[in-house]
Structures are given as C-alpha cells and as structure tokens.
C-alpha cells in the first residue's frame, strides 16, 4: 500500500514568493495533519483536518499560512508571502479515526523548504 | 513546563545492550502514547503505540506505561547500530486528535 505522499520533496524559493506544498493521505484515512519541524522548535502541529474539515488551526503561525483539503485524497499548505524563517521540513501525516481503529499517525517523507 | 519531556541525549549504549528511553507528560488525562523513530533527514516512523498501563512487547521493543506516574518508556533489547536515531515520544489527550511530541532523544549504538 502506498503511504502518505508529499510533493515537492525539496523547495528552494526566494523571500516573498508563494509556496504550495501538497499531500495525499493514505487511502481510507479520514484525518490529516500538517506539521513543521525545525531544530529549534522540534515537531509542531500546524493544522489538522477530519473528514476534509479543518478542526484545529491554532498552530498556524500567521495569516501567511493557509491550508485546504478539497477532497479526501488531497491537501495543500500554502505560504504567501514566504519568509526565511519559514525554512523548515514540513510533514503531512494521516490517520484513520473510524470506530475500532487506532489513532496512529503515519507520516509522509516531508518537504524540505528553504527560503532565501 | 513542557507538556511532553524527553532527555535530548545523546544516549550512548554498546551494541547488544538494552537501551532505555524515557518520557514524562503533564496532562493527566492523556489516553494514547506513541513512540516514533526518526533517522537523520527522514520522517518519523511509528514503532509502538500503548494505551493501557503495563508493558507491550513487539520484537526487540517494549513500551512501558505508568499513568499514575505520567511516565512512558521504550526499551530496545539487543541494540544494533541501525537503531541509532532520534526517538520521539508522542502523547494524545482525551477528546482530541492532537499529538503532543517531545523533542526526542538521540540514541547512539556503538559497534
């Protein structure tokens, strides 16, 4: 079975540019999570969706960040405009929270973002 | 006070020894506990989940949970150099899907 798929794997952009990160969750999973990982702050939850609906976006750092999940198999995280302090690895994870399933989250390979 | 605390390490153990990784959490009503392994430059990989007090074994790995002490640990028996990685503890509270991750413990298994 395919795991969580993320694209691109690496992104280098200049300050002020728009960046869009993409995620395809594991088929059948109904919860999706976006995380950011840096050396200084570790792994931080940005936002999570349940059944395509954003449940908690309290971790989104500011209005420059937005996330959407138009259907069960696709989500985007957009940064506009990007800043050097946004440089990090962004992970997407998914889980199946239907009755009888565990809350285990499975991570994608991540997108390494560098903003110069 | 951090919600999930781990010693950052590095924890160095010789090959073949038992590695013991510890995690404490502050939310007393936390229900679910997870251990992830993360190799440098890679994504977190789920190793173990534990939901009730006691021990849970899977191969060389044993997770231990003590809710009264708010403590969860991971034991790795017969440690191998390939076990060298950062181990992340994650805790899920009641009534939420959110995990709170610790900052991880770096394990080095010396050949």
């Amino acid at each position: 079975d395919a795991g969580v798929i993320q694209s691109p794997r690496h992104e280098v952009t200049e300050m002020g540019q728009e960046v869009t990160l993409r995620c395809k969750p594991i088929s059948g999973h109904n919860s999706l999570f976006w995380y950011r990982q840096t050396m200084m702050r570790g792994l931080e939850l940005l936002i999570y969706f349940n059944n395509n609906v954003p449940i908690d976006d309290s971790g989104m750092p500011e209005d420059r960040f937005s996330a959407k999940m138009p259907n069960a198999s696709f989500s985007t995280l957009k940064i506009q405009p990007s800043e050097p302090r946004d440089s990090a690895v962004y992970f997407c994870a998914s889980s199946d929270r239907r009755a009888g399933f565990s809350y285990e989250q499975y991570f994608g390979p991540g997108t390494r973002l560098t903003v110069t | 006070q951090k919600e999930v605390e781990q010693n950052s390490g590095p924890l160095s153990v010789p090959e073949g020894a038992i590695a013991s990784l510890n995690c404490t959490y502050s939310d007393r009503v936390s229900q679910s506990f997870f251990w992830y392994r993360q190799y440098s430059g890679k994504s977190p990989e789920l190793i173990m989940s534990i939901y009730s007090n006691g021990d849970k074994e899977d191969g060389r790995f044993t997770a231990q949970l003590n809710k009264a002490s708010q403590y969860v640990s991971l034991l790795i028996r017969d440690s191998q150099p390939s076990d060298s990685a950062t181990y992340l503890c994650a805790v899920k509270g009641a009534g939420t899907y959110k995990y709170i991750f610790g900052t991880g413990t770096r394990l080095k298994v010396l050949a």
Side-chain angles (χ1 to χ4, degrees), chain B residues 29-79:
Chain B
V29 299
S30 297
Q31 291 183 326
S32 308
F33 307 85
F34 308 88
W35 282 100
Y36 285 81
R37 177 176 62 197
Q38 188 174 24
Y39 292 112
S40 179
K42 301 296 185 181
S43 60
E45 173 192 7
L46 181 66
I47 300 174
M48 296 277 291
S49 56
I50 186 166
Y51 304 98
S52 54
N53 281 327
D55 293 1
K56 179 181 178 182
E57 187 175 317
D58 184 0
R60 295 187 297 113
F61 299 98
T62 298
Q64 299 176 318
L65 176 60
N66 184 325
K67 289 186 178 181
S69 300
Q70 295 175 235
Y71 177 93
V72 59
S73 64
L74 179 70
L75 301 178
I76 307 174
R77 290 181 299 282
D78 188 23
S79 296

Side-chain angles (χ1 to χ4, degrees), chain A residues 33-37 44-48 56-61 65 77 90-91:
Chain A
F33 306 80
W34 282 101
Y35 290 90
R36 177 172 68 176
Q37 188 175 42
E44 303 174 280
L45 177 66
L46 300 177
I47 185 171
Y48 74 91
D56 185 342
D57 65 355
S58 60
M60 296 287 261
F65 286 69
L77 178 68
Y90 291 80
F91 290 107

Side-chain angles (χ1 to χ4, degrees), chain A residues 22-34:
Chain A
R22 297 173 175 80
C23 175
K24 176 179 171 56
I26 293 172
S27 178
H29 281 193
N30 55 3
S31 292
L32 183 139
F33 306 80
W34 282 101

Side-chain angles (χ1 to χ4, degrees), chain A residues 6 21 23 31-38 41-49 59-61 65 67 75 77 79 86 88-95 103-108 110-113, chain B residues 34 36 38 44 88-92 97-102:
Chain A
Q6 291 187 247
L21 311 181
C23 175
S31 292
L32 183 139
F33 306 80
W34 282 101
Y35 290 90
R36 177 172 68 176
Q37 188 175 42
T38 62
R41 300 173 66 91
L43 199 57
E44 303 174 280
L45 177 66
L46 300 177
I47 185 171
Y48 74 91
F49 295 83
M60 296 287 261
F65 286 69
S75 177
L77 178 68
I79 308 173
D86 302 329
V89 181
Y90 291 80
F91 290 107
C92 177
S94 71
S95 69
Y103 294 100
E104 297 172 347
Q105 293 185 19
Y106 296 89
F107 283 74
T111 295
R112 183 173 295 276
L113 174 65
Chain B
F34 308 88
Y36 285 81
Q38 188 174 24
L88 299 166
C89 172
V91 175
K92 190 191 84 67
Y97 311 122
K98 291 174 65 170
Y99 285 13
I100 305 298
F101 278 87

